[in-house]
Amino acid sequence: MKVLMLGWELPPFISGGLGPACKGIADSLAENNVKLTFVIPTGRGGNSVLDSRIRVICADKYIPAEKYILDFYKKYSKKNKYNSEVQSTNFREFSPYYTSYEGLTDKKSERDILKKISSQKEYSILNFEGNYGMNLLEEVMKYSYIGKALGKEESFDIIHAHDWMTYPAAISVKEVSGKPLIVHVHSTEYDRSSLRPNKNIVGIEREGLKKADKIIAVSFYTKNMIISKYGIDPDKIEVVHNAVNRDTQFLRYQIRKSFDEKIVLFLGRITQQKGPDYFLDAAVKILNKMNNVKFVMSGSGDMFPKIVSKMAEYDIADKFHFTGFLNDTMVEKVFAMSDVYVMPSISEPFGLSPFEALLYDIPVVISEQSGASEILKHAPKVNFSDTDELAAVIIKLLKDKELRETVVSQCKEDMQNISWKNSAARIMEIYSNLLEV
C-alpha cells in the first residue's frame, strides 16, 4: 500500500502536538510496511526524524512542480475562494494554534503578491517559509498548488492530510489523481478560537471535511465537534486516539530540587485554548491556603503579556515563574522537578502532555473538555472554568503523597492500550476498508 501523507510540521520544528503526532503515526505505518511519502512545506523538519523507509518531499524544493508554476502565477493573482483577496495581517504570531486572528484586513495588491512570490531563492520553487507567520494563508495557498504536481507526478493509493493547512493541497491532489482522501483532524478552529473563529479557516476546514472520503478524529470529543460545528455525517468519521513516545530519559530519578516547595506545572501554549488564566486564578486560591508551593508556566503565546500583567496584579511574582518555550531536554527537566501537572484547557482535542507527565510519575489534573479524559479515566477532571474546584483538587494532591502515587499508578494502567503501533494498526484498517469500497 502506498500513501501520500501531507503535513505542515515535523520535529524538531513543532508547535504543540501536531509534529510529534505526525512523526509517531508515520514511523509506525512504515514499521507495518506501508510505503509512505511524507510532504512538508520546507526541510526544516528533515527526514532524519522519521523512519529511514519513509520518503520525505520538501514542497519548496519539489522540482517536478516547476512545470505547474505558470498556472500557479495565473491563479494566484485572482481572488481567493476563501476570502475576497489574499490577505495579510500585522498580528504578531498568526498561527493555527493561537487564540485569534484579528487584523486580517490589510489587503495586498496583486502586483505586490506576484512580486513577492517571483523573488524566489535560487533553491526554492515557491519560496516557502513553511511557518506560522503573518502570511500563513498565503503559504497554505502556495502549498495547495504543489498538490497538483503531486497528483500527477507521484504514485500512491491513498491521500492522508493532517489538519487544515494541508486540506487545499490534499483536495487538489484528489481532484488530479482521483485517489481517495482521508483528512486527519488534530484540532479545529473552534477549539483554537472558540469565541472568535476565523471564517476563512473554518471555510477551509469545512471544505476539506466535506470532500474527504473518510475523516480521522483524535478523540470522540473532536468527532462530536466535527458533527456539531461542520454538519458532517457521523458515519464518515473514525476515532483514532493519539499516543505518546515512551522513550523518556526519566531524569526525575537524577534531578534533585534545590528548594523544598512543591511545584505545580502548566506546560503548553499560552493561548486562550489552553486556559492559562484559569491556571493563574487557581494558583492565587491555592496560595491563600498553602505557602510551600511554586507555580511554573512553560511555553509561549499571544496571552503571555496578559498573564504577566495579571500575575503582577495578584502580587505573586515570587511564587509564579515563566520559563518561555522549552526544548526537549528542558521539558524533561521541568517534568522531573514537578509534583503536579495541570491541563486546564477550554477545548482540547486530545492533549499529549498529561501522558508525558505520567511517564515521569507526576499526577495530572485535566480539563473535562479534553480528549485525554476519554483515556485517563482515573485522572482528576475539572471543568476548566471552575477554579475553586481546580484549586481544591491540586491542594489535595499536594498534601497527600499516597494519593499522588495512586493517581499515577491508576493512570498508567489507563495508558496501557495506547501506542503509536495500535494507532497505526487502526489507520491501516481504515485505509483497507476505504480502498475496498
Side-chain angles (χ1 to χ4, degrees), residues 13 16 62 118 126 135 159 163 173 243 259 270 294 319 377 380 401 405 413:
F13 172 56
Y62 188 58
S118 296
L126 283 175
N135 63 335
I159 310 155
D163 265 2
V173 176
F259 44 85
I270 305 178
K294 290 181 181 291
K319 293 289 187 178
K377 303 295 186 182
K401 180 180 179 181
E405 291 175 348
E413 287 295 320

Side-chain angles (χ1 to χ4, degrees), residues 9 55 91 100 158 164 190 205 213 217 227 230 241 243 271 275 277 283 318 350 353 356 371 374 392 431:
E9 62 178 67
R55 175 186 173 216
F91 188 63
S100 64
I158 205 160
W164 73 271
Y190 289 97
E205 288 178 331
D213 296 282
I227 295 167
Y230 299 88
H241 287 120
T271 66
D277 43 346
D318 60 327
F350 188 73
S353 53
E356 295 172 334
E374 298 169 13
Y431 287 167

Side-chain angles (χ1 to χ4, degrees), residues 264-290:
V264 180
L265 174 66
F266 172 105
L267 188 148
R269 294 180 302 276
I270 305 178
T271 66
Q272 179 189 56
Q273 178 190 358
K274 300 297 182 178
D277 43 346
Y278 298 108
F279 178 79
L280 176 58
D281 290 345
V284 174
K285 294 176 181 180
I286 293 168
L287 289 170
N288 287 334
K289 298 182 179 181
M290 292 182 67

